[in-house]
Amino acid sequence: MWKSRNPLDRQVMVITGASSGIGLETARRAARKGAKVVLAARNGEALARIRREIEAEGGEALDVVADVGDRAQVQRIADQAVGRFGRIDTWVNDAGLSIFGRLEEVSEADNQRLFQTNFWGVVNGSLVAAPYLKRSGGVLINLGSVASDIAFPLQGMYCASKHAIKGFTDAFRIELEEEGAGVAVTLIKPAAIDTPFARNAKNYTPHAPKLPPPVYRTEEVAHAILHAAVHPRRDIYVGGGGRLMSLAKELAPRAFDLAGRTMSAQQQTDQPARDRAGALYEPSRSGGEVAGGHPGHVMRTSLYTRASLHPLTTAAVVAGIGLAAAGLIGARQDGSR
């Protein structure tokens, strides 16, 4: 457990992927709490609108157009942030994309582009941010996923990129601690979140994609990120359903594999595919949207996540989830027999 950092109204926060979804909701909430926010994404028009919105509410913001897959462009984010606000206290690596399609069908170029954004974007952001965070004793927050722990069909390369993010983040944390750098490193692992994620993904399937349940509101992830910026944690799962799946996979990996075969259908609607290209190579034409319009039920809050952020309740919550995971695996094994 790291010591608490400055309250948000005394922080400069850089957020990549800030033009929509989790990044946008985090930026808005941080600005309302008094943080100076640096908004980074590929969609310059959306960023400018968001900056003006924040300023109209009395906040301070800077927008920087950048592709996180390019190290030089990420360095420009840092340079402009320090040039405007003098320091960086928290850096949030949120930018990410997905591809819906079977691994044998997705092109090598598309897979490489996904990794350039998802994985190398986190690597670039982390390594560029590190010198500034060492000076401020700041916080690095990387967005992984429950897919950092588990895997499922139709988004295989997305899962691979999130596994890679976990490996990099864990190794970088150890190196920073070995150095005595004073930088806290948090990995956020959301379950499925109702953002424009599915709409922005490249789609190889004949159907419009959707997220597998349970699905949670974007606000839950933003809440966890802002908590970590002040009270850093090693890992934060957003959504008890995601944590349950992660533990179930640990307890009975083969049973989880067999159960996972149902997830292809859970990721496709009965509507025909529309914009197959998504935002893999070009930024979304809309931007500025937090919610994705998930067609099913969206959980308003995660009691598991809210409770786990408080040290006195964490052990009890984790124990309860562990028992639930064991029960889930047992029920599935009984059913298979």
Side-chain angles (χ1 to χ4, degrees):
M1 183 73 67
W2 294 281
K3 66 179 182 179
S4 296
R5 266 45 178 186
N6 287 333
L8 290 171
D9 61 4
R10 291 167 54 194
Q11 287 204 25
V12 176
M13 180 177 293
V14 175
I15 304 169
T16 70
S19 61
S20 67
I22 293 168
L24 172 55
E25 181 64 21
T26 302
R28 285 173 171 165
R29 289 184 169 220
R32 288 169 186 156
K33 291 180 179 291
K36 298 174 176 65
V37 294
V38 180
L39 314 164
R42 294 176 297 166
N43 190 330
E45 292 183 5
L47 288 183
R49 290 197 306 270
I50 297 161
R51 173 183 52 78
R52 291 193 295 267
E53 169 197 301
I54 290 172
E55 291 173 341
E57 294 182 357
E60 293 186 70
L62 170 69
D63 55 306
V64 184
V65 178
D67 184 333
V68 296
D70 184 330
R71 178 73 171 266
Q73 294 186 46
V74 176
Q75 183 63 57
R76 189 172 70 244
I77 299 171
D79 291 343
Q80 294 193 28
V82 174
R84 171 72 179 275
F85 298 121
R87 68 184 192 281
I88 298 170
D89 299 294
T90 297
W91 184 294
V92 182
N93 285 311
D94 171 65
L97 298 159
S98 192
I99 299 171
F100 284 79
R102 297 181 66 81
L103 287 167
E104 292 180 307
E105 298 172 351
V106 179
S107 74
E108 180 181 357
D110 286 352
N111 282 332
Q112 289 179 343
R113 174 60 186 173
L114 182 145
F115 248 80
Q116 195 66 32
T117 298
N118 289 15
F119 175 67
W120 287 106
V122 168
V123 172
N124 291 336
S126 300
L127 297 180
V128 165
Y132 304 96
L133 296 176
K134 290 177 185 179
R135 295 171 201 163
S136 65
V139 181
L140 174 66
I141 300 175
N142 289 341
L143 267 292
S145 167
V146 67
S148 297
D149 297 338
I150 68 173
F152 40 87
L154 290 189
Q155 292 189 75
M157 200 55 67
Y158 172 80
C159 294
S161 73
K162 292 298 182 176
H163 275 65
I165 287 170
K166 179 181 183 297
F168 167 79
T169 301
D170 288 351
F172 195 41
R173 182 190 297 110
I174 294 169
E175 291 185 1
L176 289 169
E177 291 182 347
E178 182 182 47
E179 180 186 336
V183 178
V185 181
T186 295
L187 182 65
I188 307 283
K189 298 179 182 179
I193 306 296
D194 182 30
T195 72
F197 175 88
R199 190 164 66 245
N200 289 338
K202 182 156 186 181
N203 183 16
Y204 278 74
T205 78
H207 302 284
K210 67 174 182 177
L211 298 170
V215 178
Y216 297 83
R217 293 181 67 185
T218 313
E219 289 83 349
E220 282 301 282
V221 190
H223 175 79
I225 291 170
L226 296 184
H227 182 92
V230 180
H231 307 287
R233 304 287 295 273
R234 185 184 190 278
D235 300 283
I236 299 176
Y237 286 87
V238 180
R243 182 57 173 143
L244 179 61
M245 286 189 287
S246 177
L247 284 173
K249 190 254 187 182
E250 290 179 16
L251 290 170
R254 182 55 184 155
F256 185 88
D257 290 346
L258 295 173
R261 293 185 299 186
T262 66
M263 292 187 70
S264 291
Q266 294 176 350
Q267 296 178 83
Q268 298 181 78
T269 70
D270 57 3
Q271 300 298 312
R274 294 180 181 176
D275 182 8
R276 291 178 179 273
L280 187 62
Y281 293 96
E282 300 293 334
S284 169
R285 289 188 293 271
S286 55
E289 298 175 320
V290 168
H294 177 68
H297 177 67
V298 177
M299 306 281 286
R300 291 187 61 83
T301 60
S302 167
L303 295 178
Y304 166 81
T305 300
R306 298 293 178 114
S308 70
L309 294 178
H310 299 281
L312 293 179
T313 59
T314 298
V317 169
V318 171
I321 289 289
L323 290 172
L328 175 64
I329 291 298
R332 284 179 172 170
Q333 289 177 334
D334 289 343
S336 65
R337 286 195 290 268

